[in-house]
Amino acid sequence: MKRQRHVEGIAKDTLYFILEASKSTMPVEFAGLLRAEDDVITEVIMLPGTESSSKSALIRLYMLPNMEVVGSVHSHPSPNLRPSRADLIFFGKTGDYHIIAAPPFDETSWICYDGTGRARRLPILDVELEDDEEDWFD
Ligand code: ZN
């Protein structure tokens, strides 16, 4: 679908958000899509209609607005970080950076895969995130 895009890494705050969200939705899977700004993953999009259970999360791609995504994120309620067969099919459709997070949801309990399901390096970057809602207080 969308053209493949290279990113330098993921913003630390975005990764923490993913880990926190994954932890708080337990035992249900957390799922979303990843967006990048200036070649850094800074945003997690949760699409309306996403169905989650303790076994799977179904993202309805037709709910995706016309925006570029670089990949996806979802959590596994068990400490198994390997992508399932369904995960691999989904990875092939939605970009080249796919994070799976698993308990205990810390900085070491996640792996990033490429569109074919091969583990890939995704550096954690210390970048300032722009928060539009906070501009008002500047
Ligand atoms: Zn999975």
Side-chain angles (χ1 to χ4, degrees):
M1 54 181 258
K2 317 260 164 157
R3 79 197 149 87
Q4 301 298 311
R5 189 174 145 188
H6 175 76
V7 304
E8 301 295 332
I10 183 167
K12 197 194 238 179
D13 288 351
T14 306
L15 179 67
Y16 284 167
F17 169 79
I18 288 168
L19 296 172
E20 277 305 311
S22 299
K23 202 184 289 179
S24 64
T25 53
M26 280 280 280
V28 168
E29 288 195 5
F30 168 74
L33 295 165
L34 300 174
R35 294 200 73 201
E37 208 171 293
D38 298 331
D39 294 337
V40 178
I41 294 170
T42 55
E43 211 183 325
V44 182
I45 313 271
M46 276 151 292
L47 293 183
T50 297
E51 280 174 28
S52 295
S53 72
S54 58
K55 288 206 185 78
S56 63
L58 174 68
I59 294 181
R60 300 189 188 286
L61 283 177
Y62 59 78
M63 295 297 290
L64 185 64
N66 189 19
M67 56 168 65
E68 189 193 28
V69 298
V70 297
S72 70
V73 54
H74 74 282
S75 65
H76 283 173
S78 70
N80 179 3
L81 285 166
R82 272 195 307 269
S84 67
R85 191 174 295 192
D87 288 343
L88 292 173
I89 292 168
F90 184 80
F91 288 0
K93 292 181 193 163
T94 45
D96 223 16
Y97 296 84
H98 302 279
I99 293 173
I100 295 179
F105 302 114
D106 61 24
E107 269 191 48
T108 61
S109 64
W110 62 281
I111 293 181
C112 183
Y113 298 93
D114 68 14
T116 66
R118 223 169 282 164
R120 74 183 307 167
R121 216 173 80 84
L122 185 67
I124 303 168
L125 302 175
D126 222 339
V127 295
E128 287 281 317
L129 293 190
E130 274 177 49
D131 190 333
D132 293 339
E133 278 161 353
E134 274 173 11
D135 287 351
W136 194 80
F137 295 102
D138 286 352

